[in-house]
Each structure stands twice: as C-alpha cells, then as structure tokens.
C-alpha cells in the first residue's frame, strides 16, 4: 500500500464485504424456517464482529467521516443491510410472522439498535466476557417481540 489511508480504506472495504457476505436473504417459507434464517443472520454477524474486534472498532468507531471513499463503502454496507432488513420485514408481515410496519422507519431502527448493542459489547466493553449466543438470542428476541402481530 502506498499510504496509511490506502491501507485503511482497503481494511474497511474487506470488512464491509465480510459483513455483507454473512447476512443472507431471508427466503419466504414457513414461519419457523424464516425465523431460523433471521436468527442465523444475527448469529453470523455477532460472531464476525466478536472474532474481528480490531476491524469492528475500525468500522464502527474510526471509519465514520474519514473520507468520501470510506464513507461510500460504509453507506454501501448500510444500504445492503437496510435492503435485507426491509425485505425481511415485508416478507415477515406477508407471512403473518410480524405485524406490518413502516419499513423506512423500522429497518434503520433495527439496524441501529443492533449496531449500538454490538458497539457497546465489542468496542467499549471486553468481548471476552460476553456470551455470543446470549447476545444473539437477546437481539433476536427483542427484534421479534417488538414486531409480533
């Protein structure tokens, strides 16, 4: 790499791609199958962020507002997550798993809530003390119960 900025941008880009790779589309189907897909997505994100604490700190704390390239990569990731969560909300409502909601409000609210919990646990606190399965389960339960019909 020619500069520290170039290295920083590449690290953010690779981590953003990893996050996007672990969040899979929730396929419509029976309720229990869709719920498992959502829970699996949450588990994969939790594991990724805990397993790569330094990169998580870089993306969640250090990368914001660095420059236009990095900001664009972050917006790509959040746009992808927004699209995935919006689709899951719409599918969940059509299947009767959750109540219909305004997805333009609910999707970023869910992403923001999950992001803040993971920021606090992974960046601020000691991630070695956290039970990843419990973290994923609590996030899943809070998300699901808040959207039940």
């Amino acid at each position: 790499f020619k500069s520290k900025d170039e290295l920083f941008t590449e690290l953010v880009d690779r981590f953003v791609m990893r996050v996007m790779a672990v969040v899979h589309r929730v396929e419509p189907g029976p309720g229990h199958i869709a719920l498992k897909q959502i829970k699996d997505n949450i588990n994969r994100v939790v594991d990724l962020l805990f397993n790569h604490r330094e990169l998580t700190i870089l993306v969640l704390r250090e990368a914001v507002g660095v420059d236009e390239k990095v900001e664009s990569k972050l917006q790509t990731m959040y746009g992808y997550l927004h699209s995935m969560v919006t689709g899951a909300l719409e599918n969940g409502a059509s299947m009767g798993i959750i109540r219909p909601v305004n997805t333009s409000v609910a999707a970023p609210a869910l992403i923001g809530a999950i992001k803040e919990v993971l920021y606090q646990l992974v960046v601020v606190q000691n991630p070695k003390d956290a039970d990843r399965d419990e973290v994923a389960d609590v996030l899943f339960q809070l998300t699901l119960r808040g959207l039940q019909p």
Side-chain angles (χ1 to χ4, degrees):
F1 295 98
K2 295 177 183 175
S3 69
K4 191 168 30 169
D5 289 344
E6 197 176 286
L7 174 62
F8 185 84
T9 301
E10 181 65 21
L11 288 172
V12 170
D13 187 43
R14 288 182 185 186
F15 194 66
V16 163
M17 297 306 287
R18 282 183 171 178
V19 170
M20 291 170 60
V22 300
V23 177
H24 303 163
R25 182 178 186 277
V26 175
E27 298 295 334
H32 67 284
I33 293 173
L35 294 176
K36 182 178 180 338
Q37 292 175 68
I38 293 167
K39 179 83 165 46
D40 289 347
N41 274 337
I42 294 171
N43 283 333
R44 285 190 297 270
V45 170
V46 167
D47 282 342
L48 177 69
L49 271 60
F50 275 87
N51 287 341
H52 302 282
R53 182 172 188 259
E54 294 79 15
L55 289 172
T56 299
I57 291 169
L58 185 77
V59 169
L60 294 183
R61 184 175 65 193
E62 305 299 329
V64 177
V66 168
D67 66 25
E68 288 181 26
K69 278 174 134 177
V70 170
E71 197 64 33
S72 174
K73 291 176 187 311
L74 292 175
Q75 289 308 314
T76 297
M77 177 182 72
Y78 289 119
Y80 176 80
L81 294 174
H82 186 275
S83 172
M84 297 299 270
V85 171
T86 296
L89 291 170
E90 290 168 350
N91 289 338
S94 72
M95 293 185 286
I97 297 170
I98 63 169
R99 62 185 164 84
V101 294
N102 179 336
T103 58
S104 66
V105 175
L110 291 171
I111 293 165
I114 291 170
K115 177 183 165 186
E116 181 62 22
V117 168
L118 292 172
Y119 175 83
Q120 290 299 320
L121 292 174
V122 177
V123 176
V124 177
Q125 299 174 17
N126 183 352
K128 294 175 185 165
D129 295 339
D131 179 338
R132 296 177 189 195
D133 290 332
E134 181 182 17
V135 170
D137 190 55
V138 169
L139 289 171
F140 176 74
Q141 293 299 328
L142 286 172
T143 301
L144 182 63
R145 298 222 190 281
L147 296 169
Q148 284 182 325

